[in-house]
């Protein structure tokens, strides 16, 4: 068992995939009752992400922030610019109904996605102090308000102030705690890795494997776009800027199942996207499953070998 279950990302992928199997074939098991069923809800996902944001804030040393922003921060800003450009171009070229059943809703949800759990797992014991601090920035990319902002550019009727505030508050609380009580940084340091399997379980509880593979055609197109338009170019930019083989960019870029919550989140603020939510969620689910295995494979082949 150890031989076959020990691979990059296994402590994230195995809990997620096993939970997805249960959710697909015997979903009633996950709703037996509380407290057991509480682990498999979307509220649990947001709770764990909020906790990770607080821990990330605690771990953020403001004195390292300038160096962090010139390395990992620059890569993240370039990522956001790429996603903004592609999303707005998709809206212009293919109005709201999209093309090949792929709408801008799916595009922004997939391209803006990242996976902090995979980031920690793939960098593993080789993680540098700057990369460890960068975990806080990677976590911020999980905020659902970012795709909302990118898809709503030019739409003044969308009120994004409250989503921005509620998304940033946990991180800011963590920064305050870390600055007031520096010793708390060591105390909370292990919590990020300990929470990864639990986060994976909450993701898996929203993946119906059969529905995901019903969207195999559009899902494959999305998957190709994800790697060719974003991941590989951004990893090359990361390597040029930081001389690291592109390891930071590649390690964070598998599509997290949390991204399946982005379409309904956006639709609550921009109702015209509501008819396309279900279609987007199944497409994203397919990309989640495949990218969760592809990214560790690419990392092992392209990064570990080079380094």
């Amino acid at each position: 068992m150890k031989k076959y279950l020990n691979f990059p990302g296994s402590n994230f992928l195995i809990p997620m995939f096993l939970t997805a199997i249960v959710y697909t074939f015997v979903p009633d098991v996950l709703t037996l009752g509380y407290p057991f069923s509480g682990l498999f809800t979307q509220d649990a996902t947001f709770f764990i992400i909020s906790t990770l944001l607080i821990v990330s804030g605690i771990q953020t040393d403001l004195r390292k922030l300038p160096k962090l922003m010139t390395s990992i921060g620059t890569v993240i800003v370039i990522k956001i610019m790429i996603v903004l450009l592609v999303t707005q171009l998709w809206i212009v070229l293919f109005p709201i109904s999209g093309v090949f059943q792929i709408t801008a809703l799916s595009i922004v949800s997939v391209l803006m996605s990242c996976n902090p759990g995979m980031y920690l797992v793939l960098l593993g014991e080789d993680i540098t102090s700057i990369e460890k601090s960068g975990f806080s920035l990677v976590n911020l990319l999980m905020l659902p308000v970012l795709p909302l902002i990118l898809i709503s550019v030019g739409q003044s009727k969308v009120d994004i102030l409250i989503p921005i505030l509620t998304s940033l508050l946990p991180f800011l609380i963590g920064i305050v705690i870390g600055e007031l009580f520096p010793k708390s940084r060591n105390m909370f340091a292990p919590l990020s890795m300990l929470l990864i399997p639990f986060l994976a379980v909450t993701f898996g509880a929203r993946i119906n494997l059969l529905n995901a593979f019903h969207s195999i055609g559009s899902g494959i197109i999305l998957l190709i776009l994800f790697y060719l338009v974003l991941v590989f170019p951004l990893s090359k930019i990361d390597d040029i800027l930081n001389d690291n083989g592109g390891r930071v960019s590649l390690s964070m870029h598998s599509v997290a199942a949390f991204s399946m919550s982005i379409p309904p989140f956006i639709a609550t603020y921009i109702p015209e996207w509501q008819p396309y939510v279900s279609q987007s969620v199944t497409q994203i689910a397919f990309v989640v499953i495949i990218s969760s295995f592809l990214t560790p494979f690419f990392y092992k082949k392209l990064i570990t070998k080079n380094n």
Side-chain angles (χ1 to χ4, degrees):
M1 290 290 286
K2 286 182 180 179
K3 179 180 178 182
Y4 292 106
L5 297 182
N6 186 19
F7 56 87
S10 58
N11 65 339
F12 182 89
L13 293 176
I14 292 173
M16 184 185 78
F17 199 65
L18 290 178
T19 310
I21 291 173
V22 174
Y23 177 71
T24 302
F25 298 105
V26 280
D28 290 344
V29 171
L30 304 183
T31 56
L32 284 175
Y34 289 89
F36 172 73
S37 299
L39 179 60
F40 307 103
T41 64
Q42 185 157 303
D43 286 340
T45 304
F46 280 109
F47 170 75
I48 294 173
I49 288 172
S50 295
T51 305
L52 285 171
L53 284 169
I54 292 174
V55 173
S56 298
I58 292 172
Q59 300 298 318
T60 300
D61 187 343
L62 294 179
R63 290 176 292 277
K64 291 182 179 178
L65 204 55
K67 186 175 181 182
L68 187 62
M69 290 307 298
T70 57
S71 56
I72 298 175
T74 304
V75 173
I76 287 175
V77 170
I78 294 172
K79 170 190 168 74
I80 293 172
M81 291 171 61
I82 292 173
V83 179
L84 173 63
L85 178 64
V86 175
T87 301
Q88 291 301 317
L89 188 62
W90 201 271
I91 291 173
V92 171
L93 294 178
F94 315 111
I96 195 164
S97 59
V99 64
F100 302 124
Q101 297 184 322
I102 300 173
T103 66
L105 194 62
S106 299
I107 291 291
V108 74
S109 300
V110 167
L111 294 187
M112 200 58 217
S113 183
C114 71
N115 196 325
M118 193 71 78
Y119 174 84
L120 285 181
V121 167
L122 292 181
L123 293 178
E125 294 178 356
D126 297 329
I127 193 168
T128 65
S129 60
I130 286 295
E131 290 167 351
K132 193 177 291 185
S133 299
F135 177 67
S136 58
L137 296 181
V138 177
N139 257 313
L140 287 176
L141 285 174
M142 290 282 285
L143 300 178
V145 70
L146 288 176
L148 173 62
I149 293 171
L150 297 182
I151 203 172
S152 64
V153 167
Q155 300 184 41
S156 57
K157 61 182 179 179
V158 181
D159 183 8
I160 58 174
L161 181 60
I162 296 300
I164 290 174
L165 183 62
T166 55
S167 297
L168 287 177
L169 267 177
F171 183 65
L172 297 176
I173 289 170
I175 289 178
V176 172
I177 294 172
E179 291 299 316
L180 291 177
F181 308 102
K183 289 183 179 179
S184 64
R185 288 176 180 145
N186 289 332
M187 183 173 69
F188 283 101
L191 191 55
S192 295
M193 284 301 291
L194 291 173
L195 284 173
I196 294 307
F198 296 98
L199 184 63
V201 165
T202 70
F203 285 169
R206 287 198 295 281
I207 298 176
N208 185 304
L209 299 174
L210 298 179
N211 287 346
F213 282 97
H214 285 162
S215 300
I216 190 168
S218 54
I220 288 174
I221 295 172
L222 268 175
L223 188 72
I224 292 171
L225 286 172
F226 177 64
Y227 283 103
L228 292 188
V229 173
L230 180 73
V231 180
F232 293 146
L234 196 60
S235 295
K236 186 63 178 176
I237 293 170
D238 182 22
D239 185 27
I240 293 170
L241 293 176
N242 301 310
D243 192 25
N244 60 4
R247 56 188 252 126
V248 167
S249 176
L250 186 53
S251 62
M252 74 172 77
H253 277 116
S254 67
V255 178
F258 177 75
S259 300
M260 292 188 295
S261 66
I262 300 298
F265 178 83
I266 290 175
T268 58
Y269 291 93
I270 313 178
E272 52 260 42
W273 289 114
Q274 191 63 52
Y276 305 97
V277 167
S278 178
Q279 169 185 291
S280 291
V281 168
T282 57
Q283 292 168 350
I284 295 166
F286 176 85
V287 183
V288 168
I289 295 167
I290 306 302
S291 69
S292 294
F293 290 92
L294 271 183
T295 292
F297 171 79
F298 287 137
Y299 188 89
K300 184 177 180 181
K301 293 293 182 183
L302 302 177
I303 306 299
T304 307
K305 190 170 105 173
N306 289 348
N307 288 351

